[in-house]
Amino acid sequence: MILTVTLNTALDVTYRVPRLLPHASHRVSAVAERPGGKGINVARVLGALGHEVTATGFAGGPAGELVRELLAQRSPEVVDALVPCAGGTRRTLAVVDETSGDTTQFNEPGPLITPAEWAQFLARYEALLAGADAVALCGSLPPGVPVGAYAALVRAARAAGVPVLLDTSGEALRRGVAARPEMIKPNAAELAELTGSREPLPATRDARRRGAHAVVTSLGPAGLLAATPEGTWQAAPPRALSGNPTGAGDSAVAGLLSALAEGLDWPDRLTRAVALSAATVLAPAAGEFDPRTYDEVRLAVSVTDESGAEHPSAQG
C-alpha cells in the first residue's frame, strides 16, 4: 500500500471562460469540482495506475464532506483515511482562459487545526505506516500544525522502514529535508528558496547535501532534473505543452512514487513522471490525466545523463 498525506486538503473548482479580462464580468462556460490538495491528487493518480493507495490528512466542514463524497464517487480505489477537523476545508479556484489556454489560480487558506486534532492525526498516521510500502507527504501546512510537522512525519516513516517522498516548500521543506527523506520534489522556485541558488543543477546537488537521498526538481515545460546517488539525469517531454498545469506536479510525484514502489531505475522513474505530468497539462479538467496521452508521451520522453548521453527507457 502507498500512503499519501494531505494536511491541507482542498475542494478544487475549475471555471472555464472564453477569455479572462481584468475588471470585467465573465460568463462561465463550464464548472468542474474535484477532491484536491497535493496528496489527494497523488492518490487519485496512483489509484488510476492500479496501485493500492490510502489517503490521509484532514477534512472538515461542507467542503470537506464534498471532498470525501467526490473521492468515493470518482476514485473508489483510494481508501479514505482522512481525519475530521472542526475547521472548514479550503477551496481552490482555477480559472481557465479558453482563448489563451492559460490558468489563473486562487487558493484559500486552510482550517485551523487544534492540538487535539493534530494528536489524532499522528496516531492515525503511525498506525497506517505499519502497512505502507512508501509515503508521500505533500503540500502546505494548515494553520495550527507545527512548522516542523513534516520533519516529524519523515522521522516516523524512517523509523518504520518506509521510504518517504516530500513535496512541500518554505520552512516546512527546509526542516523536512534535514530529517533525511528518500526523495524531495521541489519546483525551481522552491529549490532556489531552499538553497539560495537559481542554477538548477548546483542547487539540486546542494539540496541532496542538506539531507535528501535524491532530489527531483521540476523545470516546468523543460521537464525534470534528478540528482541521485546513482547519477544525474534530465527528462523532457517531446514538445512544449499548452494547457492547465494544475495538478501536473502531483502527477509527477505519483509517477516517481509508483516507480519507486515497483523498483524501476531512475530513467524509467523520470520517464513515467514526465509523461504523467504532460498528460495532466493536456487534460480538459484540472488534475486529471488522459491515459492515451500518457502512453503517447511516454514513448517520446527524452532522458539524458550528465554527459548528455540519452538513456533508453524500458517504459518506452
Side-chain angles (χ1 to χ4, degrees):
M1 178 266 286
I2 298 177
L3 176 64
T4 73
V5 174
T6 314
L7 298 177
N8 210 4
T9 55
L11 176 65
D12 289 345
V13 182
T14 301
Y15 286 172
R16 302 186 71 87
V17 298
R19 188 171 183 180
L20 183 61
L21 298 171
H23 316 297
S25 177
H26 296 79
R27 186 175 297 278
V28 175
S29 59
V31 181
E33 293 180 323
R34 67 181 184 92
K38 294 180 73 65
I40 296 291
N41 297 341
V42 171
R44 295 172 64 234
V45 174
L46 286 168
L49 291 172
H51 283 270
E52 181 184 352
V53 58
T54 296
T56 190
F58 292 104
E65 286 300 314
L66 185 52
V67 164
R68 303 184 83 159
E69 290 174 12
L70 292 173
L71 186 63
Q73 292 170 10
R74 301 180 185 179
S75 301
E77 66 277 4
V78 176
V79 176
D80 177 354
L82 294 167
V83 175
C85 62
T89 291
R90 67 195 176 112
R91 295 168 298 176
T92 68
L93 176 62
V95 183
V96 180
D97 184 322
E98 295 178 323
T99 300
S100 66
D102 293 335
T103 300
T104 301
Q105 189 88 11
F106 300 88
N107 297 328
E108 295 180 355
L112 176 65
I113 303 301
T114 67
E117 289 166 345
W118 178 240
Q120 183 181 3
F121 167 79
L122 287 176
R124 175 76 57 87
Y125 175 73
E126 291 177 359
L128 289 168
L129 282 176
D133 299 313
V135 178
L137 306 175
C138 303
S140 60
L141 301 177
V145 171
V147 71
Y150 281 137
L153 298 183
V154 170
R155 287 192 292 267
R158 293 186 69 229
V162 181
V164 181
L165 189 158
L166 176 62
D167 184 15
T168 187
S169 60
E171 188 63 21
L173 175 59
R174 190 179 307 279
R175 298 196 186 195
V177 167
R180 306 187 66 81
E182 178 72 18
M183 194 187 319
I184 63 172
K185 197 214 71 64
N187 60 33
E190 293 162 349
L191 183 68
E193 183 181 10
L194 174 66
T195 65
S197 172
R198 295 194 174 277
E199 295 294 329
L201 183 56
T204 300
R205 289 172 172 164
D206 183 13
R208 279 202 68 218
R209 289 192 291 270
R210 292 168 186 261
H213 189 68
V215 179
V216 180
T217 302
S218 173
L219 303 177
L224 298 173
L225 174 67
T228 80
E230 291 79 25
T232 302
W233 288 275
Q234 183 164 350
R239 64 186 186 281
L241 304 172
S242 176
N244 186 350
T246 303
D250 304 327
S251 291
V253 168
L256 292 168
L257 203 61
S258 64
L260 170 67
E262 294 172 25
L264 301 183
D265 63 16
W266 274 104
D268 286 343
R269 294 183 197 182
L270 296 171
T271 295
R272 179 178 293 181
V274 168
L276 281 170
S277 180
T280 300
V281 170
L282 296 172
E288 307 290 344
F289 81 92
D290 183 342
R292 289 175 298 180
T293 302
Y294 165 62
D295 287 335
E296 292 170 4
V297 175
R298 180 171 53 86
L299 297 173
V301 171
S302 169
V303 181
T304 54
D305 64 18
E306 190 173 355
S307 71
E310 187 164 357
H311 282 247
S313 167
Q315 290 293 299

